[in-house]
Amino acid sequence: MYIGSAQGFRLERENEYGTPEQNETVREIVEAVRREGDAALLRYTERLDKVKLRPEELRVTREEIEAAYDKVEPDFLAALRQAAANVTAFHEKQKRTSWMDSKPDGTVLGMVVRPLKRVGLYVPGGKAAYPSSVLMNVLPAKVAGVPEIVLVTPPSTGGREGIDPYILVAAAESGVTEMYRIGGAQAIAALAYGTESIPAVDKVCGPGNIYVALAKRAVFGAVDIDSIAGPTEIVVLAEDCADPRYVAADMLSQAEHDEMASAVLVTTSEELAKAVEAELERQVATLPRREIAEASLRQYGAILTVADMSEGLAVVNKLAPEHLEVIANNPMELIGGIENAGAIFVGPYSPEPVGDYYAGPNHILPTNGTARFSSPLNVDDFLKKSSLIRYSREALHRDAAGIATLARHEGLEAHARAVEIRLEGGEAK
Amino acid sequence: MYIGSAQGFRLERENEYGTPEQNETVREIVEAVRREGDAALLRYTERLDKVKLRPEELRVTREEIEAAYDKVEPDFLAALRQAAANVTAFHEKQKRTSWMDSKPDGTVLGMVVRPLKRVGLYVPGGKAAYPSSVLMNVLPAKVAGVPEIVLVTPPSTGGREGIDPYILVAAAESGVTEMYRIGGAQAIAALAYGTESIPAVDKVCGPGNIYVALAKRAVFGAVDIDSIAGPTEIVVLAEDCADPRYVAADMLSQAEHDEMASAVLVTTSEELAKAVEAELERQVATLPRREIAEASLRQYGAILTVADMSEGLAVVNKLAPEHLEVIANNPMELIGGIENAGAIFVGPYSPEPVGDYYAGPNHILPTNGTARFSSPLNVDDFLKKSSLIRYSREALHRDAAGIATLARHEGLEAHARAVEIRLEGGEAK
């Protein structure tokens, strides 16, 4: 862990682009599924997931979903439903509507806003299958009005008996309309290009291993994809008023995710810096994921002291963290100075897990410094816009000379003529 | 050109991913500029653009911009200014503001919306340098509030004497804050990673040749990029009321762009189909870019007849065209049925060049079927959002059990503890 002045610290973690072999494997799988459809999809599922399926077994049945409800605990279901209600309410505020603007000259200009028609969500298998991420991915699409939301997850998820029931329940609760037991690059290719059993989608979302990430890059263009998530990170910007127990607990809640995660304290208080260092050591000792958290702190953890909050904000803006906590005497005063952060948690009662699970804002956030230019997953990500232009005869006559001047300057004579041909004949036929 | 029923027609044009050699060349250039900064940038500018520059000569001077104003015609400048005013007015309507929502329990949730800080625009050299595209790229960033807008264009643009004055004037009028005479993959790398002379940007926009497109793909992640434009296309959806001269002129205004462009008529009227075919032949004969337009029509042009407008809309939605014209008896009645189109031009007085140059909506639109999931360039593309979460002590106590339940289910004990540690001590220190 780096401890010291902010000047000396630089957080650098490379994005994963895969080895040439991994890229070649993914290219082969994607091409095969694109060309052969179900046949290749089932072949790779047997080879890689060790599960032999017939086409009619790909889709998860209504009975399986109903059975899943019997397997989850009532307190889990209650918490999940409350989280879903909060996430839905927050994302409802992001909705946009079409608009049109009519002018006195008869011109109408506008923007037609529509949901995507069909979206696919990848849910990884095993321990990385998080019900909370199902909510966070599906509910913005649902609020946007996407009518077809498809979930895919490897058939091995949750062992031989089938798909993890918690995932099935989270999917059903959040409004998934179809689920398929497929995984890996072959699942991404099936979503992007479609097969006999699985119609193609317009956008593929969700996290996965390196093969899934490379497959998403490979199909981008044929479909839209969400961002490719990097390792997670938190920065706590704190003054002397902060409780070091809280700060350390919050740093550890990020560090336990994985060894690549980064937890950084930026503070004006030497005393707080020392106290947090001690608290980290004390609290990490009893964590089930102690080894992961320790490795994360060792490699990517830092306690940085700054002269004042203005320097603190500069450090934060340079790091552009996924999660930022602000625990200060007047935290809301500092918001205007925060240029780059995925989510901002304000004050002593807003630990990051509040946002991960419950409050309502999305937990799928820009990582690895990309908060400089990107945003939390939101309803806009599942909407598309079309501009609308209706010119009147009057407006076209008024603007024809200007349009023709610009078109001819660019050497596009047919553009100028498409306007001028309408001036000759008076009213259109 | 394909002429016949819509069922038999399929428009397929591959996206450009470059040859392995081109990809390797781009990788080398990008890495060199990333590592060596100005030295590599100047070396490749000399090697590829045949212009030897010193670092202090990279930036376009105020004097050059002033001199450019003396070189452009008054009617060009007047038309450009009117277009800029219209584009600004339309994009002003897309602006978004931050919002916060305070609840009775003391919780505040919100979304902070901010402009990107620094954006780079690539303008290709030679004949592909379009002043109208400078407006369409820069003005949405300007309206979004981006404080630093950087334009780069090859030093060879406009011949040995310097940069095309029309580009300089368009840049100055639309609010570009810095301009550099660099081009190719080396310019994209300089924008993405920064050099001694050119600070790094947060997003790179604008069209270019295959090397520029591959460089944009290569730097994506370090910075944001806009979409990579494919060949342009138009679909005219028309009933018997349409004037065949107008329809043909509009198809040609797209076909003249390049040989890969596509112009398609979808109509319920056999009579119109025949008349447009004859008009195309007549009108193309006198075009300066006749050979390009003819090649485009031959390879990617089509006249498709459909049984009714409902089938017509289905064909349109499948093609998901960049530009769609609707010339029908009651065109506004059809808007609700259009699912996929970049821009929709309604009625007989809305030829596509109206939107290319003047009306106000953006002319940078999703191509090659991507209107299924993407949108015209707009103000949102230059904004980023941060969620804001301020929980109260009361809200945290109320929600703690639910949050801890979900966190522990996912095996993330430190997440649960970060919440629970705040319950023990009463008020925070």
Side-chain angles (χ1 to χ4, degrees), chain A residues 411-415, chain B residues 252-258 287 289 292-293:
Chain A
L412 298 173
E413 175 67 20
H415 282 62
Chain B
L252 289 170
S253 77
Q254 208 52 224
E256 78 170 338
H257 267 296
D258 73 78
L287 283 181
R289 295 166 72 96
I292 293 171

Side-chain angles (χ1 to χ4, degrees), chain A residues 14-308:
Chain A
E14 285 293 319
N15 277 317
E16 264 296 15
Y17 291 100
T19 64
E21 293 71 31
Q22 288 169 328
N23 275 280
E24 181 53 25
T25 301
V26 165
R27 205 193 55 74
E28 273 172 28
I29 296 173
V30 168
E31 275 311 302
V33 173
R34 182 183 190 172
R35 265 197 325 270
E36 300 171 50
D38 277 349
L41 178 60
L42 296 170
R43 193 168 72 239
Y44 283 109
T45 299
E46 183 173 359
R47 189 180 306 169
L48 302 172
D49 289 308
K50 317 290 177 205
V51 180
K52 193 171 165 65
L53 295 171
R54 284 167 292 139
E56 61 273 23
E57 293 173 327
L58 286 170
R59 188 158 176 179
V60 175
T61 63
R62 181 181 299 271
E63 291 69 34
E64 285 173 90
I65 297 165
E66 281 166 11
Y69 273 86
D70 296 331
K71 292 180 197 155
V72 307
E73 300 79 16
D75 66 334
F76 171 85
L77 186 58
L80 187 81
R81 284 183 169 160
Q82 186 59 52
N86 295 348
V87 172
T88 299
F90 184 83
H91 287 78
E92 288 280 355
K93 290 180 190 288
Q94 298 172 344
K95 282 178 80 167
R96 310 192 75 172
T97 49
S98 303
W99 55 267
M100 277 195 232
D101 192 18
S102 302
K103 303 216 171 120
D105 65 12
T107 293
V108 180
L109 299 180
M111 194 66 101
V112 181
V113 182
R114 284 184 159 279
L116 306 192
K117 193 170 175 194
R118 186 170 166 88
V119 166
L121 167 63
Y122 190 89
V123 176
K127 287 194 172 174
Y130 290 148
S132 62
S133 292
V134 173
L135 298 190
M136 293 293 181
N137 270 291
V138 174
L139 290 172
K142 190 79 190 166
V143 169
V146 176
E148 300 176 19
I149 304 175
V150 184
L151 183 148
V152 298
T153 193
S156 43
T157 304
R160 295 188 69 87
E161 70 277 14
I163 315 258
D164 177 13
Y166 298 88
I167 294 296
L168 290 183
V169 166
E173 290 289 319
S174 51
V176 166
T177 54
E178 297 160 45
M179 295 185 233
Y180 298 93
R181 60 188 103 250
I182 51 173
Q186 63 273 21
I188 301 296
L191 289 173
Y193 299 112
T195 71
E196 299 89 327
S197 301
I198 304 174
V201 302
D202 300 315
K203 180 165 188 162
V204 177
C205 294
N209 63 17
I210 182 69
Y211 295 97
V212 169
L214 294 176
K216 282 168 70 181
R217 278 189 194 272
V219 301
F220 178 50
V223 292
D224 196 16
I225 60 169
D226 61 353
S227 57
I228 294 181
T232 187
E233 70 245 347
I234 191 171
V235 171
V236 183
L237 176 65
E239 285 181 315
D240 51 5
C241 62
D243 188 322
R245 296 176 306 145
Y246 299 4
V247 174
D250 298 354
M251 290 173 75
L252 290 170
S253 77
Q254 208 52 225
E256 77 169 341
H257 267 295
D258 72 76
E259 298 177 359
M260 293 282 286
S262 170
V264 174
L265 168 64
V266 178
T267 182
T268 50
S269 164
E270 288 283 356
E271 193 190 342
L272 182 70
K274 288 205 179 70
V276 168
E277 192 188 345
E279 272 294 322
L280 282 170
E281 209 175 317
R282 195 179 68 78
Q283 292 185 25
V284 77
T286 63
L287 283 181
R289 295 165 73 96
R290 171 181 182 165
E291 283 181 22
I292 292 170
E294 284 180 341
S296 154
L297 288 179
R298 196 166 49 239
Q299 293 179 271
Y300 302 109
I303 295 179
L304 308 178
T305 44
V306 289
D308 51 33

Side-chain angles (χ1 to χ4, degrees), chain A residues 17 75-76 79-80 90 93-94 96 99-101 109-111 114 116-117 130-132 166 201-202 220-224 241-246 249-250 252-253 256-257 283 286-289 331-332 335-336 338-346 348-351 353-359 361 370-376 378 380 384-393 396 399 402-403 405-407 409-415 417-419 421-422 424 426-429, chain B residues 17 75-76 79-80 83 90 93-94 96 99-101 109-111 114 116-117 130-132 166 201-202 220-224 241 243-246 249-250 252-253 256-257 283 286-289 331-332 335-336 338-346 348-351 353-359 361 370-376 378 380 384-393 396 399 402-403 405-407 409-415 417-419 421-422 424 426-429:
Chain A
Y17 291 100
D75 66 334
F76 171 85
L80 187 81
F90 184 83
K93 290 180 190 288
Q94 298 172 344
R96 310 192 75 172
W99 55 267
M100 277 195 232
D101 192 18
L109 299 180
M111 194 66 101
R114 284 184 159 279
L116 306 192
K117 193 170 175 194
Y130 290 148
S132 62
Y166 298 88
V201 302
D202 300 315
F220 178 50
V223 292
D224 196 16
C241 62
D243 188 322
R245 296 176 306 145
Y246 299 4
D250 298 354
L252 290 170
S253 77
E256 77 169 341
H257 267 295
Q283 292 185 25
T286 63
L287 283 181
R289 295 165 73 96
M332 292 302 276
I335 303 300
I338 301 166
E339 288 172 15
N340 306 319
I344 306 166
F345 298 79
V346 184
Y349 297 110
S350 312
V354 162
D356 282 350
Y357 289 109
Y358 225 71
T370 58
R372 273 171 28 246
F373 50 77
S374 51
S375 303
N378 66 86
D380 281 341
K384 63 191 171 177
K385 300 155 208 159
S386 306
S387 359
L388 187 131
I389 299 174
R390 179 176 203 168
Y391 249 43
S392 63
R393 185 172 183 278
L396 191 69
D399 292 348
I403 297 168
T405 296
L406 294 174
H409 170 76
E410 295 183 356
L412 298 173
E413 175 67 20
H415 282 62
R417 291 190 190 174
V419 172
I421 199 170
R422 286 161 158 94
E424 299 162 6
E427 283 295 328
K429 187 190 128 184
Chain B
Y17 291 100
D75 66 334
F76 171 85
L80 187 80
F90 184 82
K93 290 180 190 290
Q94 298 173 344
R96 311 192 74 172
W99 55 268
M100 277 195 231
D101 193 19
L109 299 180
M111 194 67 102
R114 284 184 159 277
L116 305 193
K117 192 170 175 194
Y130 290 148
S132 62
Y166 298 87
V201 302
D202 300 315
F220 179 49
V223 292
D224 195 17
C241 62
D243 187 322
R245 295 175 308 144
Y246 297 5
D250 298 353
L252 289 170
S253 77
E256 78 170 338
H257 267 296
Q283 292 185 26
T286 64
L287 283 181
R289 295 166 72 96
M332 291 302 277
I335 302 301
I338 301 166
E339 289 172 15
N340 305 320
I344 306 166
F345 298 79
V346 183
Y349 296 111
S350 311
V354 162
D356 281 349
Y357 289 109
Y358 225 72
T370 58
R372 273 170 29 244
F373 49 79
S374 50
S375 303
N378 65 87
D380 281 342
K384 61 191 172 178
K385 300 157 209 159
S386 307
S387 352
L388 187 132
I389 300 175
R390 180 175 201 167
Y391 249 42
S392 63
R393 185 171 184 276
L396 191 70
D399 291 348
I403 297 168
T405 296
L406 294 173
H409 170 76
E410 295 183 355
L412 297 173
E413 175 67 20
H415 282 62
R417 291 190 191 174
V419 172
I421 199 170
R422 287 163 157 90
E424 298 162 7
E427 282 295 329
K429 188 190 128 186

Side-chain angles (χ1 to χ4, degrees), chain B residues 267-278:
Chain B
T267 182
T268 51
S269 163
E270 288 282 356
E271 192 189 342
L272 181 70
K274 286 205 181 70
V276 168
E277 192 186 347

